[in-house]
Amino acid sequence: MILNKRLNGVLMHISSLPGKTGIGTLGVSAYNFVDFLKESKQAYWQILPVGPTSFGDSPYQSFSTFAGNPYFIDLDMLCDEGFLDKSDYEKINWGKDSNFVDYGLVYEQRQKVFECLFNNFKKKVPSDFEFFCSENYFWLEDYAFFMALKDEHNGIPFYQWEKDLVSREEKSLAEWKKKCSDKITCHKMLQYFFYKQWFALKNYANVRTQLNKAEREHNCTTKLFSEVTTEEVKEIFDEWNLVGDRNKIASFQMDQAENDALDY
């Protein structure tokens, strides 16, 4: 993103928003924050990378360059759409102190809720789900497979899996895809809901800040953008996806000097 003049804004990650389910989400609190930023005449809301976090739960240690963090999916919104009941998540212990995120607890409890979500999802698959999958096939298919395999292997790093999986032998991949079919679909579902809520929030910020000429001249618009991590990570599905393909590996060189924020 190239700026030709100085603008003001706020850096705050989604996880820091107030919420009832252990961590900030893309729900009501995020929309309220957009309203606050507009009223405060802030030009930008900058957030940290939104990818699914790995060991240590740092936003700069993500499993994927493309995927979103399922922790940020708002459960109340899913309830409003009929994919969850409030009883599926309201009585769950999300932590002792709402001012802090207990990531271990959030991980355990969200898995339980996501199981309920997936069972309901299978009964009424959204009409645009297949379109979402096809539009994002270039990363979603392998990402969902990778995460399903991690589930099957109790979360251990991919380089500790069976050798035929590590080297992506076709026969082994076909067998595991069949075995992990439901889990693959579940991870696709989570990305579907993440991006649905992400783009709804982004569109709200855009519409909410369609101002008159005088306001625009005073930089009263609010834009939402996320950082992109270029930090070296120990395990990322993109790396596993490139195993055995030297041409892809050669083209997958990240410029470490580039640390600009990505405008979503």
Side-chain angles (χ1 to χ4, degrees), residues 14-19 22-26 71-73 101 110:
I14 299 294
S15 62
S16 297
L17 291 165
I23 194 170
T25 69
L26 297 166
Y71 291 170
F72 299 150
I73 297 172
V101 178
R110 283 252 165 181

Side-chain angles (χ1 to χ4, degrees), residues 7-136:
L7 297 169
N8 54 316
V10 174
L11 168 62
M12 186 181 74
H13 198 31
I14 299 294
S15 62
S16 297
L17 291 165
K20 302 178 294 183
T21 54
I23 194 170
T25 69
L26 297 166
V28 172
S29 291
Y31 286 78
N32 290 341
F33 191 63
V34 170
D35 294 340
F36 165 76
L37 291 174
K38 180 183 185 302
E39 293 164 5
S40 304
K41 296 180 172 56
Q42 299 300 302
Y44 290 100
W45 175 9
Q46 180 181 353
I47 62 178
L48 303 184
V50 295
T53 53
S54 57
F55 180 78
D57 297 295
S58 166
Y60 297 99
Q61 290 277 347
S62 178
F63 286 123
S64 171
T65 308
F66 302 100
N69 194 334
Y71 291 170
F72 299 150
I73 297 172
D74 188 74
L75 304 184
D76 282 336
M77 286 184 167
L78 296 179
C79 182
D80 292 340
E81 294 182 64
F83 289 103
L84 286 175
D85 292 324
K86 288 189 179 295
S87 59
D88 292 329
Y89 60 91
E90 280 196 337
K91 295 181 180 181
I92 287 178
N93 172 27
W94 293 104
K96 297 180 180 180
D97 190 340
S98 60
N99 291 316
F100 297 91
V101 178
D102 184 335
Y103 282 98
L105 187 61
V106 168
Y107 171 81
E108 292 176 6
Q109 304 293 41
R110 283 252 165 181
Q111 295 309 309
K112 298 174 186 177
V113 176
F114 290 157
E115 287 179 10
C116 295
L117 173 61
F118 186 53
N119 288 333
N120 295 329
F121 175 85
K122 289 187 292 184
K123 297 174 184 177
K124 52 173 183 179
V125 178
S127 58
D128 59 344
F129 176 66
E130 289 302 326
F131 176 77
F132 170 81
C133 293
S134 62
E135 284 288 291
N136 296 280

Side-chain angles (χ1 to χ4, degrees), residues 9 31 41 72 82 85 88 120 129 138-140 167 178 188 199 215 226 254:
Y31 286 78
K41 296 180 172 56
F72 299 150
D85 292 324
D88 292 329
N120 295 329
F129 176 66
F138 72 98
W139 66 268
L140 181 61
S167 59
K178 186 176 181 180
K188 290 180 181 179
F199 283 116
E215 289 175 313
S226 170
M254 301 183 69

Side-chain angles (χ1 to χ4, degrees), residues 149-191:
L149 287 171
K150 281 192 70 69
D151 292 342
E152 287 288 332
H153 290 81
N154 298 314
I156 64 174
F158 78 83
Y159 45 79
Q160 294 180 14
W161 297 349
E162 295 86 343
K163 289 183 179 180
D164 54 350
L165 267 182
V166 174
S167 59
R168 295 178 61 89
E169 294 182 15
E170 291 187 8
K171 181 179 179 181
S172 179
L173 292 179
E175 292 173 351
W176 277 98
K177 277 189 177 182
K178 186 176 181 180
K179 180 179 180 180
C180 300
S181 177
D182 265 5
K183 290 184 178 181
I184 291 171
T185 304
C186 182
H187 282 287
K188 290 180 181 179
M189 172 203 71
L190 293 175
Q191 291 307 304

